[in-house]
Amino acid sequence: MEKVLVTGGAGFIGSNFVHLLRRERPEWHVVVLDKLTYAGRPENLAAVANDAQYRFVQGDICDAAAVADAMQGCTLVFNFAAESHVDRSLMGDPAHAGAFVQTDVYGVYVLLEEAKRQNVKKFVQVSTDEVYGDVSQGHSVETDPLEPRSPYSASKAGGELIARSYFVSHDMPVVITRGSNTFGPYQYPEKLLPLFVSNALDDQDLPLYGDGLQRRDWLFVEDHGRGILAAGERGRAGEAYNIGGGNEKTNREVTEFLLQVLGKPASLIKPVGDRPGHDRRYALNCEKAKSNLDWQPLRTFEEAMTATVEWYRDHQDWWRAIKGGEEYQQYYQRNYGTRDKG
Ligand code: NAD
Ligand code: TYD
């Protein structure tokens, strides 16, 4: 029986992970620590809120007292908490990039310090394929150099390095996962998929950056969560594991796919000015996770993407509550209001 801390559990991947744990490890106790930033949505966890083996703590991973309270007695720690959106990390206001460095680097250090005191069995730092930077050819392996190129990916790489240093210096059981572009229910509608699906449902433009030929490896959220769980249960201390879907697609292909599922016209696609420093391609080699963690993605792109698009079509209350809010509208105006045509 484990007692598990899930930080960032009210966000997209974290909340799906909590639901996965309740289904697949029902005997485990789960504590969620979440600051509830704009991206943290308590409604994502409504289904477990009254569960006896579940506790929610609102708090910041940078706050040592809140972390000590939440981690008390925990055997496993999964750190999902992060500022996660590349476009927000690029906004002119220093407060934006600063929040990434604060949470994604300093917050990891605070968690590690408490995990050391608690003598946890495993600390899983949830990271991203973006730490490898732009991969023009081939597929990244775990020993490749980290060459992040945005304030988001640089902060995530910093968090990884701090985590790894606690393995090297303090012999802590740290494991790192590098997941690829994830899709599924409960994703904040600033990311490509929920933004485009929700815009399309309202016959609004889909702002495709640049030529739309940037390539990403798309991974269903449940497959990502199973990979993170496998890393927590079977990962070797000090190691990193790539977790990807094996579905390399251009942004234009993904956009055309979702429009086809919704029966909406391609004329909704509006090329707009590109993201500064936009990485053209990410691609992962996941052989290590497959052979050492006994993990592989179970869902096909077509089937999981269709189900996800349908989830947003059928759960409009969820995203309309976000899109109708002031914070979202200000963000949308700032990020898209002044973009030149692509
Ligand atoms: P998200 O933005 O949906 O959720 C982040 C959560 O962290 C929110 O609930 C937020 O309230 C919480 N949070 C933020 N700052 C916090 C702080 N200081 N203290 C406590 N809680 C805080 O993000 P997501 O897409 O679910 O990503 C989860 C993790 O997975 C992140 O670490 C991200 O880097 C990583 N990741 C994401 C993707 C992807 O495609 N979304 C891919 C690979 C890796
Ligand atoms: P995003 O969902 O923000 O994830 P990430 O930047 O972490 O990969 O973006 C996925 C891809 O879609 C990325 O290449 C940027 C592109 N994109 C657009 O073309 N338009 C948009 O409005 C957004 C949000 C993303």
Side-chain angles (χ1 to χ4, degrees):
M1 213 278 288
E2 308 286 358
K3 185 173 174 190
V4 181
L5 178 65
V6 179
T7 67
F12 163 48
I13 307 176
S15 61
N16 278 283
F17 186 71
V18 169
H19 296 306
L20 179 80
L21 289 182
R22 299 310 296 134
R23 281 197 307 275
E24 302 211 346
R25 300 291 181 274
E27 67 285 6
W28 287 12
H29 285 253
V30 176
V31 180
V32 167
L33 173 65
D34 199 295
K35 185 178 175 181
L36 298 182
T37 67
Y38 75 94
R41 315 294 303 180
E43 59 269 32
N44 297 359
L45 293 166
V48 297
N50 297 320
D51 201 325
Q53 280 151 293
Y54 166 79
R55 177 178 169 226
F56 180 82
V57 179
Q58 182 171 1
D60 190 331
I61 61 166
C62 301
D63 174 353
V67 167
D69 169 34
M71 207 186 288
Q72 179 65 39
C74 287
T75 48
L76 299 175
V77 175
F78 294 90
N79 180 30
F80 292 83
E83 289 292 337
S84 70
H85 193 43
V86 174
D87 290 318
R88 290 186 189 249
S89 83
L90 296 168
M91 286 180 162
D93 180 351
H96 285 279
F100 285 74
V101 178
Q102 181 71 8
T103 291
D104 300 7
V105 185
Y106 183 78
V108 180
Y109 147 76
V110 175
L111 289 169
L112 287 161
E113 275 296 318
E114 185 58 29
K116 178 151 67 77
R117 257 189 297 279
Q118 295 279 338
N119 210 9
V120 302
K121 285 200 294 193
K122 200 69 67 70
F123 183 102
V124 179
Q125 171 61 16
V126 177
S127 191
T128 164
D129 60 357
E130 301 191 25
V131 297
Y132 294 116
D134 198 27
V135 182
S136 57
Q137 284 175 14
H139 294 79
S140 304
V141 292
E142 288 83 350
T143 47
D144 283 351
L146 304 189
E147 296 181 296
R149 291 162 21 99
S150 74
Y152 163 66
S153 54
S155 302
K156 291 297 293 184
E160 276 198 25
L161 293 177
I162 286 286
R164 206 182 103 78
S165 79
Y166 273 66
F167 162 71
V168 175
S169 311
H170 301 300
D171 204 21
M172 273 187 62
V174 168
V175 173
I176 289 158
T177 59
R178 298 185 183 137
S180 65
N181 275 68
T182 306
F183 64 93
Y186 300 120
Q187 187 170 30
Y188 195 85
E190 63 190 351
K191 305 289 197 306
L192 178 85
L193 189 86
L195 173 65
F196 281 15
V197 172
S198 57
N199 278 14
L201 284 164
D202 282 344
D203 298 310
Q204 306 275 320
D205 290 341
L206 313 188
L208 191 65
Y209 296 161
D211 60 9
L213 299 181
Q214 304 83 3
R215 306 179 81 84
R216 299 286 184 266
D217 173 358
W218 292 88
L219 170 66
F220 186 54
V221 67
E222 205 175 291
D223 284 327
H224 193 169
R226 287 190 310 97
I228 291 166
L229 178 57
E233 293 185 318
R234 297 187 285 283
R236 230 179 94 190
E239 298 289 322
Y241 297 91
N242 289 342
I243 308 285
N247 302 303
E248 185 175 335
K249 309 270 178 212
T250 66
N251 292 338
R252 187 169 278 276
E253 285 169 333
V254 172
T255 305
E256 285 167 355
F257 187 90
L258 69 89
L259 285 170
Q260 180 225 312
V261 173
L262 292 174
K264 295 284 184 177
S267 56
L268 287 177
I269 300 174
K270 182 188 174 204
V272 296
D274 209 349
R275 175 186 277 176
H278 198 167
D279 290 334
R280 292 292 291 179
R281 179 173 179 264
Y282 304 129
L284 290 177
N285 175 323
C286 298
E287 287 312 311
K288 184 176 174 184
K290 287 179 184 165
S291 51
N292 297 4
L293 298 180
D294 192 23
W295 167 87
Q296 60 175 2
L298 297 180
R299 305 278 290 269
T300 67
F301 174 85
E302 285 73 15
E303 179 259 322
M305 188 58 93
T306 301
T308 300
V309 172
E310 289 171 352
W311 188 90
Y312 289 99
R313 187 196 60 201
D314 298 343
H315 293 80
Q316 299 197 18
D317 288 354
W318 183 85
W319 55 262
R320 284 193 192 285
I322 295 172
K323 287 184 106 173
E326 197 179 326
E327 193 284 334
Y328 185 87
Q329 292 188 1
Q330 280 175 3
Y331 162 74
Y332 203 84
Q333 181 55 31
R334 277 193 72 182
N335 193 40
Y336 296 100
T338 56
R339 251 173 216 280
D340 297 332
K341 270 199 177 344

